[in-house]
Amino acid sequence: MKLIKLTALSAAVLASTAALAADPIIVVDNDNAMSYEAAPASQYNSDAGIIRNTTGAIFGGTKTLFNTAIHPASVSAEVGTLGYGASVGYSLNDKVELQAGWAGGDVADLFGGDFDVNDVNYDVDSDFSNPYMGVQLRPAANWFTVGAGIIVPDNDLDVTSNPNGGVYKIDDVEYNANDVGTLQGSLEHRNKLAPYATIGFRPNIGNNWGVFGEIGAAYLGKTDATVRSNGTSTNVGVKGSNLGSGKTSAQVAAEAQNELEDENYIEWLPIVKLGATYRF
């Protein structure tokens, strides 16, 4: 019986302490009676443009566990060089927010849709998948942010060659494009975990809605390339020569592969993103 009484007493003290942990709000009714209520878990600071976390304990007065658990949680939608995606966040206080999200899709056009490797031009077809986890810091407790974290990249990059004037110039040799055939390949970054860092702005435009923009970079690492040819020539012609190169289409494709791998396409992936946030 004493144990039950002590438990009940402890629970009452905990609830009272939690209610007083937050900044109190004084309420005066029509009869001039004065009472105290716990402040909400988060408040909008219009001067700083942020949501200020005022949670003082796990429970606050009559607040439910669910309401406390989600405050000040948020969901965001974004678009940028990582792709199209969404994230969830939880603010530990007015300076630190934890984030987890995903972004992906075909974003090759954001990088121009093609690129040159020495003198060979390649069209790019991409399918990005970039789950990430990180932290957003507000050093001055205002709209300015600094972010850092880890991306788990799973990005498919397929390339197709475009001959220039009927030739492929590889390692300073101009091969007949008709003999070589179409060069097709793929790229894979070696990093399985890619660290990233950003700076940005995250002003809130009310108690619930906010917008954000970020710029930065992620280190995806060097690339492994695979290039193949659909040509069947056993003696690929060379511009200005009647003897040919003495190389097969597959050998020329292997030379193109070496050049493509040395290019290290988007070894450093630029991060540019815009989005909107809703806070519960």
Side-chain angles (χ1 to χ4, degrees), residues 73-79 82 84-90 97-103 130-134 136 196 202 212 214 273-280:
S74 64
V75 294
S76 300
E78 65 183 60
V79 59
L82 290 177
Y84 311 89
S87 65
V88 296
Y90 191 88
E97 181 178 69
L98 303 180
Q99 288 185 327
W102 176 91
N130 291 299
Y132 63 87
M133 295 183 65
Q136 285 286 339
Y196 73 86
R202 286 180 174 264
F212 65 88
E214 294 177 39
K273 65 169 70 173
L274 296 172
T277 297
Y278 180 84
R279 294 184 180 276
F280 294 96

Side-chain angles (χ1 to χ4, degrees), residues 20 60 114 135 151 246 250 252 264 280:
L20 294 175
D114 67 336
V135 59
I151 299 172
V252 175
N264 289 321
F280 294 96

Side-chain angles (χ1 to χ4, degrees), residues 153-169:
D154 184 16
N155 301 324
D156 294 329
L157 292 165
D158 296 322
V159 296
T160 304
S161 63
N162 296 310
N164 182 14
V167 300
Y168 292 118
K169 189 175 181 180

Side-chain angles (χ1 to χ4, degrees), residues 78-152:
E78 65 183 60
V79 59
T81 53
L82 290 177
Y84 311 89
S87 65
V88 296
Y90 191 88
S91 297
L92 300 182
N93 51 51
D94 55 358
K95 291 186 177 182
V96 182
E97 181 178 69
L98 303 180
Q99 288 185 327
W102 176 91
D106 185 358
V107 296
D109 287 341
L110 296 177
F111 299 99
D114 67 336
F115 69 103
D116 293 327
V117 178
N118 294 337
D119 295 294
V120 180
N121 179 264
Y122 291 92
D123 287 330
V124 184
D125 184 25
S126 67
D127 185 11
F128 275 20
S129 177
N130 291 299
Y132 63 87
M133 295 183 65
V135 59
Q136 285 286 339
L137 304 177
R138 298 178 186 261
N142 59 13
W143 54 265
F144 174 72
T145 62
V146 177
I150 292 292
I151 299 172
V152 187

Side-chain angles (χ1 to χ4, degrees), residues 175-176 179-180 233-238 243-250 252:
Y175 296 102
N176 187 318
D179 291 343
V180 174
S233 175
T234 58
N235 184 20
V236 175
V238 175
L243 300 177
S245 64
K247 299 176 182 178
T248 66
S249 298
V252 175

Side-chain angles (χ1 to χ4, degrees), residues 13-277:
V13 171
L14 177 61
S16 299
T17 303
L20 294 175
D23 296 335
I25 298 175
I26 300 175
V27 179
V28 179
D29 61 19
N30 292 333
D31 297 326
N32 293 322
M34 185 177 297
S35 61
Y36 293 86
E37 295 180 1
S42 58
Q43 296 175 344
Y44 175 58
N45 184 336
S46 59
D47 293 329
I50 64 171
I51 301 296
R52 184 171 71 90
N53 182 10
T54 62
T55 305
I58 296 179
F59 296 98
T62 59
K63 293 171 65 65
T64 66
L65 175 61
F66 174 76
N67 285 336
T68 305
I70 67 171
H71 280 83
S74 64
V75 294
S76 300
E78 65 183 60
V79 59
T81 53
L82 290 177
Y84 311 89
S87 65
V88 296
Y90 191 88
S91 297
L92 300 182
N93 51 51
D94 55 358
K95 291 186 177 182
V96 182
E97 181 178 69
L98 303 180
Q99 288 185 327
W102 176 91
D106 185 358
V107 296
D109 287 341
L110 296 177
F111 299 99
D114 67 336
F115 69 103
D116 293 327
V117 178
N118 294 337
D119 295 294
V120 180
N121 179 264
Y122 291 92
D123 287 330
V124 184
D125 184 25
S126 67
D127 185 11
F128 275 20
S129 177
N130 291 299
Y132 63 87
M133 295 183 65
V135 59
Q136 285 286 339
L137 304 177
R138 298 178 186 261
N142 59 13
W143 54 265
F144 174 72
T145 62
V146 177
I150 292 292
I151 299 172
V152 187
D154 184 16
N155 301 324
D156 294 329
L157 292 165
D158 296 322
V159 296
T160 304
S161 63
N162 296 310
N164 182 14
V167 300
Y168 292 118
K169 189 175 181 180
I170 301 171
D171 197 18
D172 293 327
V173 179
E174 294 182 314
Y175 296 102
N176 187 318
N178 290 330
D179 291 343
V180 174
T182 301
L183 298 172
Q184 293 181 311
S186 60
L187 293 169
E188 181 179 1
H189 289 94
R190 297 174 186 175
N191 281 11
K192 303 306 178 186
L193 295 176
Y196 73 86
T198 62
I199 59 173
F201 64 94
R202 286 180 174 264
N204 288 288
I205 54 179
N207 281 323
N208 298 107
W209 288 99
V211 294
F212 65 88
E214 294 177 39
I215 59 172
Y219 183 66
L220 299 183
K222 298 184 180 300
T223 57
D224 292 322
T226 301
V227 175
R228 57 194 177 277
S229 169
N230 63 3
T232 58
S233 175
T234 58
N235 184 20
V236 175
V238 175
K239 184 177 180 180
S241 172
N242 295 324
L243 300 177
S245 64
K247 299 176 182 178
T248 66
S249 298
Q251 289 173 320
V252 175
E255 292 181 356
Q257 175 176 304
N258 291 335
E259 287 194 344
L260 180 60
E261 195 166 273
D262 290 342
E263 182 70 14
N264 289 321
Y265 179 63
I266 56 175
E267 178 179 0
W268 286 91
L269 173 65
I271 295 176
V272 180
K273 65 169 70 173
L274 296 172
T277 297

